[in-house]
Amino acid sequence: MKILVAISDQQMGESVLEHLKRTPVRNDVEIHFVHVVQWLPNKKEKESWPGLTEFAEAKWDEASQLLDRMAKEFRKTNPNCDIRQQVLHGHPGEEILRYVQQHKIDETVVAPHQRNELSKFFCGNVSAELMQHLPCTLTIVKTTK
Amino acid sequence: MKVLVAVEDQKYGLAVIDFISKHQWSEDTEFKIIHVIEPLLIGSYMSVYPSALLQEINEQSTKYATSLMADMKKNLQKAVPHHHVFTDVFTEIPKYGIINAAKEWPADLIIMGSHGRRGFNKLLLGSVAEAVMSAANCSVTVVRIPETDQNSTAKSHQEQKKEAAAK
């Protein structure tokens, strides 16, 4: 069984880990921790604004460190699970969907931001998008904070 | 931990039970299986149907729900033999029924199936799972049956029908 855990930030990641502690997975599970970086400067933008290269690298490092922390925390309670990490770049809904299809994921776990209707309209609603298009089982973890 | 299992029919019920059996559950976990019978709104506001017919429809729905719950309880108890499993059937609009049942218990997790309707079908029939997902106060798991399994199930139903017709 393959489980994808999509993490957007530290707080959401902690909520997902808390959920995974309460419904532990079996040892033979392959778990993929994924973070999607929404915007990175392209080549032209980097040439025009040299400072953007550093910004992009910092953003990528930040995402990798977040996944490292999550994977480390998860390994404490599930030492025998096969843990994989991947930072992706693009639109979160589309990238998660593509990853699920590529890796034949059986279950996706996400912790969405608690947004009101106005905020959903402007910022989008990834969980609703996943709900509509994902071919696999989806768990929406409600944040405790 | 309190887990509310919302079941609509046999096919998705078994998929949900399969999902539950693939996870481990803490010792104190309780499972409540519910089936929500949709009320016949047309009949109650307009006397389009004769009351005897409505009564029969209600009786049939209750009978189906009772046998479905007994079957689901048996299967789930097999999957999680050390946990307390109980059932409940009530009449309500499904999305409100599930959300209210989760609030009242109160459930920590709702597990339910989804038909994965798209386009016109979704517009017409709605999506209970989507409504529950956005309104529930607790975590929600929506179990999908992979398309390959759906095709194989559909094929096996067709084969069964052909066999029955041949007999």
Side-chain angles (χ1 to χ4, degrees):
Chain A
M1 191 183 176
K2 292 179 181 178
I3 298 178
L4 166 74
V5 180
I7 294 167
S8 54
D9 59 31
Q10 180 79 27
Q11 189 191 333
M12 303 302 160
E14 281 169 9
S15 297
V16 172
L17 287 180
E18 186 58 37
H19 172 81
L20 291 173
K21 264 184 204 167
R22 299 175 84 185
T23 57
V25 291
R26 289 182 173 173
N27 286 334
D28 57 345
V29 160
E30 191 179 293
I31 193 144
H32 297 239
F33 284 97
V34 165
H35 175 83
V36 187
V37 179
Q38 287 197 51
W39 179 81
L40 283 176
N42 58 32
K43 201 180 167 187
K44 205 175 171 186
E45 286 168 334
K46 280 180 187 170
E47 281 168 7
S48 312
W49 302 87
L52 283 180
T53 309
E54 279 176 34
F55 171 80
E57 282 169 4
K59 198 90 180 149
W60 203 263
D61 287 347
E62 197 185 306
S64 305
Q65 283 166 13
L66 173 69
L67 292 184
D68 282 343
R69 284 198 298 276
M70 292 299 134
K72 200 176 160 189
E73 195 62 34
F74 181 77
R75 206 182 290 279
K76 280 182 193 170
T77 46
N78 302 270
N80 299 320
C81 278
D82 183 2
I83 302 172
R84 298 173 189 203
Q85 296 162 235
Q86 183 73 52
V87 180
L88 304 169
H89 167 224
H91 180 272
E94 286 172 13
E95 289 306 315
I96 292 169
L97 187 60
R98 191 172 296 140
Y99 194 91
V100 163
Q101 285 166 342
Q102 266 174 9
H103 293 82
K104 295 188 170 59
I105 300 289
D106 300 296
E107 186 191 349
T108 301
V109 184
V110 292
H113 293 275
Q114 299 294 313
R115 290 198 169 113
N116 57 31
E117 291 305 315
L118 187 71
S119 167
K120 272 180 196 170
F121 180 77
F122 285 108
C123 305
N125 189 354
V126 175
S127 53
E129 247 180 273
L130 293 177
M131 176 76 221
Q132 283 175 20
H133 301 291
L134 267 190
C136 67
T137 295
L138 172 67
T139 296
I140 306 283
V141 178
K142 287 283 157 85
T143 46
T144 47
K145 288 165 193 171
Chain B
M1 188 175 181
K2 290 174 174 177
V3 182
L4 186 82
V5 182
V7 174
E8 190 196 345
D9 57 22
Q10 181 99 15
K11 185 177 155 192
Y12 285 90
L14 292 176
V16 168
I17 291 172
D18 183 51
F19 170 83
I20 291 171
S21 68
K22 282 178 182 163
H23 284 72
Q24 294 172 333
W25 304 91
S26 54
E27 276 178 22
D28 61 335
T29 305
E30 290 179 292
F31 294 90
K32 183 179 182 178
I33 314 172
I34 60 163
H35 175 79
V36 188
I37 300 172
E38 198 153 3
L40 293 163
L41 290 176
I42 298 171
S44 57
Y45 291 115
M46 296 185 284
S47 51
V48 174
Y49 304 113
S51 60
L53 178 64
L54 289 176
Q55 201 184 341
E56 200 185 325
I57 292 171
N58 280 329
E59 275 172 14
Q60 289 292 334
S61 306
T62 313
K63 202 175 157 189
Y64 170 74
T66 313
S67 75
L68 178 71
M69 285 296 99
D71 193 28
M72 289 297 122
K73 188 179 177 183
K74 199 175 116 191
N75 282 303
L76 184 56
Q77 199 70 75
K78 241 186 236 175
V80 283
H82 305 297
H83 294 88
H84 181 44
V85 178
F86 56 105
T87 60
D88 195 8
V89 177
F90 50 90
T91 304
E92 173 79 273
I93 294 171
K95 58 183 174 187
Y96 300 125
I98 296 168
I99 294 163
N100 291 339
K103 255 185 212 166
E104 279 165 20
W105 194 12
D108 300 298
L109 175 67
I110 302 171
I111 307 178
M112 60 191 295
S114 169
H115 291 102
R117 287 190 185 103
R118 285 177 194 168
F120 186 68
N121 280 348
K122 195 183 155 194
L123 190 74
L124 204 66
L125 301 168
S127 172
V128 176
E130 215 173 306
V132 171
M133 186 199 81
S134 59
N137 290 331
C138 60
S139 300
V140 180
T141 294
V142 177
V143 178
R144 283 253 163 85
I145 300 178
E147 277 176 16
T148 48
D149 289 5
Q150 283 193 19
N151 293 340
S152 64
T153 318
K155 270 182 193 170
S156 68
H157 281 308
Q158 280 176 356
E159 280 163 13
Q160 278 175 9
K161 274 184 186 174
K162 275 181 190 172
E163 278 173 22
K167 279 175 189 174

